[in-house]
Amino acid sequence: MPKMETGYKKACGAYAVIFDAKKEKVGVVPSGSGYRLPGGEISRGESELACLMGTVGADLEIAGFLGKAAQETGARSMDEGLFYLGKW
C-alpha cells in the first residue's frame, strides 16, 4: 500500500467474497458502472463486520479475513477495501 501522506481523503469499505457450491463463481451485485462485490463503505465508528452484516444481511457467515487492497482514486484521494470470505 502506498504511504499515506497528510491531506489525503481516505474511504474504507468492507466486502464479502462469496463462492458458489462448486467454487467456480463469485457472487456480485449490480452497480451503476457494472458489478461489484457485496458490501460497502464503512461508516465512522462502525466495525468492518457490522458494515458487512448491515449491507449484505444477517444470513452472511464470515469464514475469515482474506486481505486488503488500496488504490489512489484521484488527486489526494485513497480508497481501501477489506475483503472477507463469506458463506450463506
Side-chain angles (χ1 to χ4, degrees), residues 10-86:
K10 182 179 174 186
C12 190
Y15 303 93
V17 178
I18 304 168
F19 290 97
D20 69 348
K22 293 182 180 181
K23 297 195 187 297
E24 295 175 341
K25 298 177 184 176
V26 175
V28 294
V29 295
S31 72
S33 60
Y35 296 92
R36 63 174 178 79
L37 291 171
E41 188 171 345
I42 301 169
S43 300
R44 183 179 294 267
E46 181 179 42
S47 74
E48 302 98 64
L49 298 181
C51 173
L52 276 176
M53 296 304 174
T55 57
V56 178
D59 291 337
L60 177 70
E61 178 184 331
I62 302 299
F65 180 70
L66 295 173
K68 66 181 176 179
Q71 71 177 5
E72 194 167 348
T73 54
R76 314 295 294 167
S77 181
M78 181 76 65
D79 285 352
E80 180 178 81
L82 305 171
F83 300 91
Y84 291 86
L85 182 60

